[in-house]
């Protein structure tokens, strides 16, 4: 079983409009709603790969109810367990307005609910009991922190995972990432910007080595069209997708996290973990719906990902 | 008691963003949600004026639940009775994005739920029983029709009101207005565009007379800063607000409907109905929150509205 944590979950809403014109009124052509937030995206892909996954974090209010209803209706809902903790404040919506003419998206992200100290304590209790169940093979700690959650939250959650002997992957940015590193997560998955922001180095290999010095046991950096770069105690790898893919990169990083984590619990060697992450990521970019991945494309690309040990 | 009908109710959501830039991501600074749809706006103002008001129409899904919760929490909720009929499809949201820098609003209107024949039949039954209660002094039929509702719906509802001896005001546009006129509503309240669209005449007095020939017993046209023009069997009046007011016109027409209808059930003469409508409308334009009216401004403006009989 894999745990994914989404402290700042969202109901992702997509509005398609004929053409976006500021300061006018738009008829929305159609609406799509899906459970959002990085950890929930990761969980959906993990379940699709056949892994029993428990999602936790927070959900509240009408958008939280809708999120949970939709989570219970995903393709492999049989493999997903909802252990979200209720909040009094409402789960945020993220509204993406897609211009049907140009295909461009304009995002409006609501602030998350303020999490009370009692709600945070309830969450930590649920998280601890999941770790203590003896079934957890890994945990993914994903995304930003909602107001009210202590900025050192991820350090605490990484420590809990490590003391329970559960592999901890941390995928966040800014100060929560910086603080989280102090607790020595087993793996972080920054993108190029996040890695540069953390370390001050723009060259990915140098930055990844620096991130390891700051506390990460391993770093798998997602570099967009350049695939992934991993620096672990065993060495350095570069994984490249076959050719350039165009599409919507939303959720590609979350699919990569699912690929890495599935490889961890299946005890695959690093090159195979990376190949899976890169193929899933690419299959997410080309899928028509944001945040979904194309299974056939994934299976076609997987053997074509080139992984080189370098350094 | 006054009945207001809102077949295409909405949960009006307002997002304030620092500055709207298409194709970028915006952090929403704050969110406001209120029950929306013309008939609900009319009902809120009527209750505020001290009239017991029953709201009916449709509400469904999470946005419908939220709308009903908020309706139960308005200032004079003690005077509002919720007789909305549930739909399986979700009530639409209208999202207004306010650019905090310029004050301009960009609207995104979700499509309404498709109303099933059984839901329409349930509504008609509720509507009939409200008319038959013997307590209804007037009914306001407001706004657009959601998918699934027959285009001749307002004609049917006007006929029901007239056969129950209840004064019927119709405030809609396009084909639903055209069809509704055939049933001879007691009053219509088009704006200048709606009136021109209906009759083909751009001169309001000529257009209003033509609308009466098409079936309206009386016409009160809202002309923005030009106040109102009414053509009834008793004659023609023009009502002008004192001076030009700037602000947000959202809901000004609905406040005018509430002013007219309260005057009808209080059996005020036409000039006083019009003065009330114009003062409420102006007090809505100057109120800081969209669709609310400023009570003090209303009371100050009311004696200053100039009503002239002309023709």
């Amino acid at each position: 079983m894999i745990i994914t944590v989404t402290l700042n979950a969202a109901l992702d809403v997509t509005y398609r409009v004929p053409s976006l014109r500021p300061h006018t009124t738009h008829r929305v052509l159609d609406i799509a709603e899906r459970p959002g937030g990085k950890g929930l995206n990761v969980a959906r892909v993990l379940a699709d790969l056949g892994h029993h996954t428990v999602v936790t974090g927070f959900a509240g209010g009408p958008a939280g109810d809708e999120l949970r209803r939709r989570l219970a209706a995903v393709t492999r809902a049989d493999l997903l367990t909802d252990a979200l903790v209720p909040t009094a404040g409402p789960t945020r919506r993220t509204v993406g307005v897609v211009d049907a003419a140009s295909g461009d998206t304009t995002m409006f992200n609501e602030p998350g609910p303020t999490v009370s100290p009692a709600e945070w304590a309830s969450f930590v209790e649920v998280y601890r009991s999941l770790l203590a169940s003896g079934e957890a093979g890994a945990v993914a700690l994903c995304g930003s922190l909602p107001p009210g959650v202590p900025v050192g939250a991820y350090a605490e959650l990484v420590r809990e995972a490590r003391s329970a002997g559960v592999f901890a992957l941390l995928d966040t940015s800014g100060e929560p990432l910086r603080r989280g590193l102090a607790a020595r997560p087993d793996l972080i998955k920054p993108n190029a910007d996040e890695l540069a922001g953390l370390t001050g180095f723009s060259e990915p290999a140098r930055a990844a080595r620096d991130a390891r010095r700051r506390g990460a046991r391993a770093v798998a950096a997602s570099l967009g069209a350049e695939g992934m770069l991993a620096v672990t105690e065993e060495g350095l790898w570069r994984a490249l997708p076959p050719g350039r893919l165009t599409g919507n990169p939303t959720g590609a990083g979350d699919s990569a996290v699912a690929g890495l984590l599935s490889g961890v619990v299946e005890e695959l060697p690093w090159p195979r973990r990376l190949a899976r992450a890169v193929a899933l990521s690419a299959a997410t970019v080309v899928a028509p719906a944001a945040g979904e991945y194309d299974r056939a494309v994934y299976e076609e690309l997987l053997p074509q990902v080139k992984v080189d040990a370098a350094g």
Side-chain angles (χ1 to χ4, degrees), chain A:
Chain A
M1 177 261 268
I2 299 174
I3 305 165
T4 77
V5 172
T6 316
L7 298 175
N8 208 3
L11 183 66
D12 285 347
V13 181
T14 305
Y15 284 168
R16 208 163 54 88
V17 301
S19 171
L20 176 61
R21 292 164 196 267
H23 318 318
T24 69
T25 295
H26 302 79
R27 188 170 45 90
V28 173
L29 300 173
D30 47 59
I31 310 169
E33 293 186 338
R34 59 196 290 279
K38 296 165 75 72
L40 292 174
N41 295 341
V42 171
R44 259 204 319 262
V45 178
L46 283 170
D48 219 60
L49 293 172
H51 286 276
H52 176 213
T53 306
V54 179
V55 299
T56 186
F58 296 108
D65 292 345
E66 188 63 29
L67 182 155
R68 298 178 87 151
R69 267 195 296 274
R70 289 184 181 266
L71 198 61
V74 299
T75 319
R76 292 305 307 269
D78 58 312
L79 289 177
L80 282 182
T81 301
D82 175 349
L84 291 160
V85 172
T87 47
T91 290
R92 68 203 173 106
R93 283 185 166 74
T94 70
V95 177
V97 177
V98 177
D99 181 316
S102 71
D104 283 328
T105 300
T106 305
M107 293 294 306
F108 301 100
N109 295 334
E110 296 184 0
T114 297
V115 174
S116 72
E119 288 165 349
W120 174 247
S122 297
F123 164 76
V124 173
E125 202 168 306
V126 166
Y127 178 72
R128 271 196 200 122
S129 70
L130 289 171
L131 289 173
S133 67
E135 287 170 36
V139 57
L141 304 165
C142 302
S144 57
L145 300 178
V149 167
V151 68
Y154 282 134
E156 180 178 353
L157 301 184
V158 168
R159 267 191 297 274
E160 294 281 353
R162 290 181 49 79
S163 67
V166 174
F167 185 99
L169 182 152
L170 178 59
D171 183 12
T172 186
S173 59
E175 195 58 21
L177 172 58
R178 204 176 299 275
R179 300 277 196 111
L181 281 185
R184 308 221 61 207
D186 293 287
L187 177 59
I188 62 171
K189 194 226 58 66
N191 62 29
D193 286 348
E194 288 161 354
L195 194 55
L198 174 69
T199 63
F201 298 121
S202 58
E203 200 281 300
R206 185 172 180 186
R209 284 201 190 88
D210 186 71
R212 288 195 70 218
R213 271 194 295 273
R214 288 166 187 264
R217 296 186 165 236
V219 178
S222 49
L223 308 175
E226 308 296 314
M228 289 192 102
L229 168 84
V231 181
T232 78
E233 56 201 0
E234 297 166 41
L236 184 153
W237 286 274
R238 291 183 193 274
L240 266 181
R244 222 174 170 91
L245 298 157
T246 55
N248 188 336
T250 305
D254 303 329
S255 293
V257 167
L260 292 169
L261 221 48
S262 66
V264 166
V265 300
E266 293 173 37
E267 301 182 346
L268 302 183
W270 270 102
R272 287 190 61 197
R273 296 178 190 176
L274 292 169
R276 201 179 263 188
V278 167
L280 279 170
S281 194
T284 303
V285 170
V286 300
E292 307 291 330
Y293 80 98
D294 184 312
R295 178 103 204 177
V297 171
Y298 164 60
E299 287 171 1
E300 188 192 325
L301 292 180
L302 185 58
Q304 300 180 50
V305 177
K306 218 172 131 230
V307 187
D308 288 321

